[in-house]
Amino acid sequence: MDQSLGQSRAITAGERAYQWTREAILSGRIPEGTFLEEKLVCDEAGVSRTPVREAFHRLAAEKFIDLLPRRGAQVRRVTAGELFETYEMRLLLELHGFRILCGKNIDIPAWLSEHLDRMEDPERVARVRAGDRDAIAEHAKMDFFFHFSFVKATGNSILIDLYTSLQPRHQRIAVSAVSLRPKRLEVIAPEHRTLLKALTDHDYDTAERTLRHHLRPDETVVSHLR
Amino acid sequence: MDQSLGQSRAITAGERAYQWTREAILSGRIPEGTFLEEKLVCDEAGVSRTPVREAFHRLAAEKFIDLLPRRGAQVRRVTAGELFETYEMRLLLELHGFRILCGKNIDIPAWLSEHLDRMEDPERVARVRAGDRDAIAEHAKMDFFFHFSFVKATGNSILIDLYTSLQPRHQRIAVSAVSLRPKRLEVIAPEHRTLLKALTDHDYDTAERTLRHHLRPDETVVSHLR
DNA sequence: CCCTCACCCTATGTATACACAGTGTATACC
DNA sequence: GGTATACACTGTGTATACATAGGGTGAGGG
């Protein structure tokens, strides 16, 4: 195609295909259960099938899609069972992060407060509550980023990997939760503030108590996924 | 890890390439740090480059190899730092499994005792102590399988996924540990028996104490990886 | 009206050809 | 003798052609 343009060759075609698809799934442009056709991604990402297929295998390993032999790539659904499991694992991994952060007196990034400011921006919140799909997907990503920051601060690369692998499932759950119960936003925001303060103060007990309440499956979402 | 199941299904070329490479790495036939050439796998697995490259991307996502752009696929090394992190994560995940198994009175598979019998088979142990690379790799796989069984028994599919993703790192560490300190075998075996009994008795405290001692990095291995 | 079966057609699985970057080596120069 | 540079070669990155399985659609029968 247009390889001859001499653009920054740093990004390979496979990487473009991967990022486009990953973003399309995370943003909700491609709904769960959709059979993702190679040709669609080829056209959208402007690459041939080979790098697209490589991206698909990577995305399958990362639980974004299921690769059904001779059927195609299906965007993964989150079942009710997986919802419970995801919260269970998030609690396990995040609490472990908290223990390290508090125990070793590791400081958490100062800009996290500004991140919460952006999440609570009235205009953004209004769009989310209005049901704007893009805004909801963006909110879910920011929520993940917030929690991920604590895990990242521990510096444990494997913990970071494990937690990262939860993102596809987190995204679906968070989108469902905010879509079905926009009122949750009013609960989430102050809990995030409490978490941040507790960790800044190295107050593990408060952090744990808050997180245990924060990571509780919403019955409305559960029944919706059943 | 399920090496013997499902021979009858129509296995794709990509799957053959994946399994051959995965097995070659786990068995130690391809040493860490090796640049894995696509052509080699093509010849060995009897497929063309396309499915091999797909397998490589999958293996990279699973942390078996690093894909260096324009350089190739390098079999991952385990650093000293990752050794500590791996033990830390194994402890976290396995203890969580133990809590569930004991708390919910879930029974663990009865055949695990026979699995330990096979691990302690004098002939096998002799080969491991003699430094037989295949026997050592096999021992490491059996060790992983033993610990994995507890995680599997919880039925939490995400926990199972997360633990599975530790296998590449576990394998390298276990092989190093047994190679450098064959004497460890005499410590490992009784600890495995203690763990199994504690879990059969739903005695979490003993299980936790034993596991905390069991999953302790060996200083010899640590300095070897540095 | 619903179910079944056969056909076609589309999308996947695989191989291969070509483009090009990175590495190694040999040669020339300092 | 050591270092720098140019060139060839090897192996990866990508596109594309071809084979084939699986599903959709239509007609025919119950």
Side-chain angles (χ1 to χ4, degrees), chain A:
Chain A
M1 286 222 156
D2 55 343
Q3 309 96 313
S4 54
L5 280 178
Q7 285 240 13
S8 65
R9 210 59 67 61
I11 291 288
T12 65
E15 190 63 22
R16 265 222 303 288
Y18 170 78
Q19 286 180 7
W20 184 89
T21 311
R22 186 178 187 280
E23 176 57 26
I25 294 173
L26 283 181
S27 71
R29 286 205 303 283
I30 302 177
E32 59 179 5
T34 306
F35 273 92
L36 197 49
E37 289 183 11
E38 293 171 0
K39 184 148 191 317
L40 173 76
V41 181
C42 292
D43 294 343
E44 291 288 342
V47 300
S48 76
R49 285 181 57 214
T50 309
V52 168
R53 288 178 57 82
E54 289 169 357
F56 278 17
H57 281 272
R58 194 171 152 197
L59 290 161
E62 293 170 356
K63 308 288 176 187
F64 280 89
I65 59 180
D66 283 328
L67 244 30
L68 310 178
R70 280 281 170 198
R71 294 282 315 278
Q74 188 175 33
V75 178
R76 255 178 99 89
R77 277 174 217 285
V78 172
T79 64
E82 275 192 329
L83 178 135
F84 286 106
E85 292 175 350
T86 302
Y87 276 119
E88 188 179 321
M89 287 302 105
R90 281 188 60 194
L91 191 61
L92 182 69
L93 298 183
E94 291 186 42
L95 282 184
H96 185 73
F98 287 3
R99 268 193 298 275
I100 293 173
L101 258 43
C102 292
K104 292 186 185 168
N105 265 13
I106 298 174
D107 283 326
I108 56 173
W111 43 259
L112 265 182
S113 179
E114 293 160 32
H115 181 72
L116 289 183
D117 290 344
R118 282 192 291 278
M119 281 185 77
E120 295 168 23
D121 174 62
E123 195 180 323
R124 183 190 301 278
V125 171
R127 284 197 293 140
V128 171
R129 303 194 59 156
D132 180 330
R133 295 196 76 79
D134 289 347
I136 291 172
E138 187 67 18
H139 175 87
K141 276 197 272 189
M142 292 177 88
D143 180 69
F144 181 83
F145 185 82
F146 175 73
H147 288 271
F148 181 58
S149 299
F150 301 123
V151 170
K152 207 169 167 187
T154 65
N156 183 322
S157 64
I158 300 181
L159 175 61
I160 291 170
D161 280 349
L162 297 184
Y163 194 83
T164 300
S165 73
L166 299 179
Q167 187 175 16
R169 285 165 278 222
H170 169 280
Q171 184 73 15
R172 291 296 327 154
I173 292 166
V175 166
S176 297
V178 175
S179 301
L180 295 169
R181 302 277 307 265
K183 280 247 169 197
R184 279 282 295 161
L185 284 178
E186 295 162 21
V187 181
I188 290 170
E191 283 182 350
H192 280 174
R193 295 287 179 186
T194 306
L195 275 178
L196 185 55
K197 180 165 190 325
L199 289 167
T200 308
D201 298 344
H202 299 291
D203 174 3
Y204 177 77
D205 290 340
T206 301
E208 175 176 355
R209 201 171 343 105
T210 307
L211 193 67
R212 282 190 187 280
H213 186 266
H214 190 66
L215 297 184
R216 191 165 287 175
D218 183 299
E219 205 30 67
T220 309
V221 180
V222 173
S223 56
H224 179 257
L225 291 179
R226 243 186 262 277

Side-chain angles (χ1 to χ4, degrees), chain B:
Chain B
M1 121 210 19
D2 38 32
Q3 56 274 50
S4 54
L5 296 175
Q7 209 81 322
S8 56
R9 278 206 303 264
I11 234 74
T12 66
E15 191 62 25
R16 265 222 303 288
Y18 170 77
Q19 287 180 8
W20 184 89
T21 311
R22 188 179 185 281
E23 176 57 27
I25 294 173
L26 283 181
S27 71
R29 287 205 302 282
I30 303 177
E32 59 179 7
T34 306
F35 272 93
L36 196 50
E37 290 184 12
E38 294 171 0
K39 184 140 191 321
L40 173 76
V41 181
C42 291
D43 295 343
E44 292 287 342
V47 299
S48 78
R49 285 181 58 212
T50 308
V52 168
R53 287 179 57 81
E54 288 171 359
F56 277 17
H57 280 271
R58 194 171 152 196
L59 290 161
E62 294 170 356
K63 309 290 176 186
F64 280 89
I65 58 179
D66 283 328
L67 244 32
L68 311 179
R70 284 282 172 198
R71 295 282 315 279
Q74 188 174 32
V75 178
R76 244 170 161 305
R77 278 175 217 284
V78 172
T79 64
E82 275 192 329
L83 178 135
F84 286 106
E85 293 174 349
T86 302
Y87 276 119
E88 189 179 321
M89 288 301 107
R90 282 188 62 194
L91 192 61
L92 182 69
L93 298 183
E94 292 187 42
L95 282 184
H96 185 74
F98 287 2
R99 269 193 299 275
I100 293 173
L101 259 43
C102 293
K104 293 186 184 169
N105 265 11
I106 297 174
D107 284 327
I108 56 173
W111 44 259
L112 265 182
S113 180
E114 294 160 31
H115 181 73
L116 289 184
D117 291 343
R118 284 192 292 278
M119 282 184 77
E120 295 168 22
D121 174 63
E123 195 180 321
R124 183 190 301 280
V125 171
R127 283 197 294 142
V128 171
R129 303 195 59 157
D132 180 329
R133 293 195 79 78
D134 288 347
I136 290 172
E138 187 67 18
H139 174 87
K141 276 199 270 189
M142 293 176 87
D143 180 69
F144 181 83
F145 185 82
F146 175 73
H147 288 269
F148 181 59
S149 300
F150 301 124
V151 170
K152 207 170 168 186
T154 65
N156 184 322
S157 65
I158 300 181
L159 175 60
I160 291 170
D161 280 349
L162 298 184
Y163 194 83
T164 301
S165 73
L166 298 179
Q167 187 177 16
R169 286 165 277 222
H170 169 281
Q171 184 74 17
R172 292 294 328 154
I173 292 167
V175 166
S176 298
V178 175
S179 301
L180 296 168
R181 301 278 305 266
K183 279 246 172 199
R184 280 281 295 161
L185 285 178
E186 294 161 22
V187 181
I188 290 171
E191 283 182 349
H192 280 173
R193 296 286 179 184
T194 306
L195 275 178
L196 186 55
K197 181 164 189 326
L199 290 166
T200 308
D201 298 344
H202 299 290
D203 174 2
Y204 177 76
D205 290 340
T206 302
E208 174 176 354
R209 201 172 341 105
T210 307
L211 193 68
R212 281 191 187 279
H213 187 265
H214 189 65
L215 297 184
R216 191 164 289 175
D218 185 297
E219 203 33 62
T220 309
V221 179
V222 173
S223 56
H224 179 256
L225 291 178
R226 243 186 262 278

